[in-house]
Amino acid sequence: MSRNITNRRVYDWKAVPWRKLEKVVFKLQKRIYRATQQGNKRLVRRLQGLLTRSWSAKMIAVRQVTQQNKGKKTAGVDGVTTLKPSERQPLVRQLRIEKRRKVQPTRRVWIPKPGRDEKRPLGIPTMYDRALQGVVKIALEPEWEAVFEADSYGFRPGRGCHDAIAAIFNSIRYKPKWVLDADIAKCFDKIDH
């Protein structure tokens, strides 16, 4: 196989140099992060375009969707549940972000809410659309990480509830503070849109 990992040759899926691909993507993400901090929007958009078109980002997104995600065996409207290693390379080659492309409809599944008899809707996109979302996520995350608050912990890469608990502990351990608890369940159901 080729030594140049940005070459679009077909690899045996098990022989792909994932560490090298992750390094390429991480370097571009770091450049996006720095450009956002400097306020250079034009450079940010250019780098994001470069990242969304990069073979490395597409390979990582397809790997995430087809191998690592919890719902990897859940089919969308296209009926595709899993992809064999030989089917993943063609998916990588197909991925293109187009402004006029119509997204395929999502499959609607009703799942039960924990501890209740109610059910909530869950939309399951096709495998192609999930991979495309993964590519866009890879490109958008560094821009928004640069502008998020330092004490924001929800749905951020590398952060979780334990980090939030540690931050709360560190802020209250030396002086007593007030803690207010508010239950806002179903509050948004009653707001007039």
Side-chain angles (χ1 to χ4, degrees):
M1 288 297 140
S2 168
R3 292 178 113 179
N4 184 359
I5 61 165
T6 57
N7 192 336
R8 293 175 190 247
R9 287 191 182 178
V10 176
Y11 277 95
D12 176 27
W13 192 261
K14 293 177 182 169
V16 174
W18 294 110
R19 291 272 186 235
K20 287 182 182 179
L21 297 182
E22 288 166 358
K23 279 184 183 178
V24 168
V25 168
F26 183 70
K27 282 181 181 179
L28 270 171
Q29 285 180 322
K30 218 162 43 167
R31 288 177 64 191
I32 292 169
Y33 184 87
R34 283 195 205 118
T36 303
Q37 284 184 323
Q38 294 167 357
N40 191 344
K41 289 281 186 195
R42 182 176 286 162
L43 180 60
V44 169
R45 297 293 171 254
R46 208 172 76 229
L47 290 171
Q48 283 175 332
L50 184 66
L51 189 55
T52 56
R53 289 186 304 272
S54 87
W55 180 74
S56 302
K58 291 177 184 178
M59 287 287 285
I60 288 172
V62 168
R63 180 182 182 210
Q64 178 75 31
V65 167
T66 60
Q67 290 180 282
Q68 296 172 333
N69 279 2
K70 208 173 173 184
K72 63 187 171 208
K73 293 182 180 175
T74 310
V77 248
D78 58 351
V80 177
T81 52
T82 54
L83 292 177
K84 296 176 195 157
S86 60
E87 296 171 328
R88 292 178 191 145
Q89 289 280 342
L91 177 62
V92 169
R93 284 192 293 280
Q94 287 174 359
L95 287 179
R96 275 194 186 77
I97 295 177
E98 300 167 11
K99 292 180 182 174
R100 293 199 170 96
R101 183 186 169 275
K102 276 203 134 191
V103 179
Q104 291 182 341
T106 59
R107 190 175 123 220
R108 182 70 64 186
V109 177
W110 292 88
I111 58 172
K113 287 187 175 181
R116 296 187 186 160
D117 293 337
E118 293 179 67
K119 291 188 173 188
R120 69 178 181 84
L122 177 68
I124 303 167
T126 62
M127 197 66 75
Y128 178 88
D129 289 334
R130 280 186 256 178
L132 210 53
Q133 287 172 5
V135 171
V136 171
K137 177 180 176 268
I138 287 171
L140 288 178
E141 259 181 358
E143 177 188 6
W144 289 99
E145 278 297 314
V147 295
F148 276 154
E149 292 288 325
D151 288 329
S152 166
Y153 296 94
F155 300 103
R156 289 181 66 184
R159 292 187 181 209
C161 61
H162 292 297
D163 299 316
I165 291 167
I168 291 168
F169 174 76
N170 288 331
S171 69
I172 66 171
R173 73 175 165 178
Y174 294 118
K175 305 188 224 186
K177 306 262 184 182
W178 284 93
V179 177
L180 302 175
D181 182 21
D183 186 12
I184 59 168
K186 296 193 178 182
C187 130
F188 296 107
D189 297 342
K190 304 201 185 333
I191 296 174
D192 184 16
H193 294 283

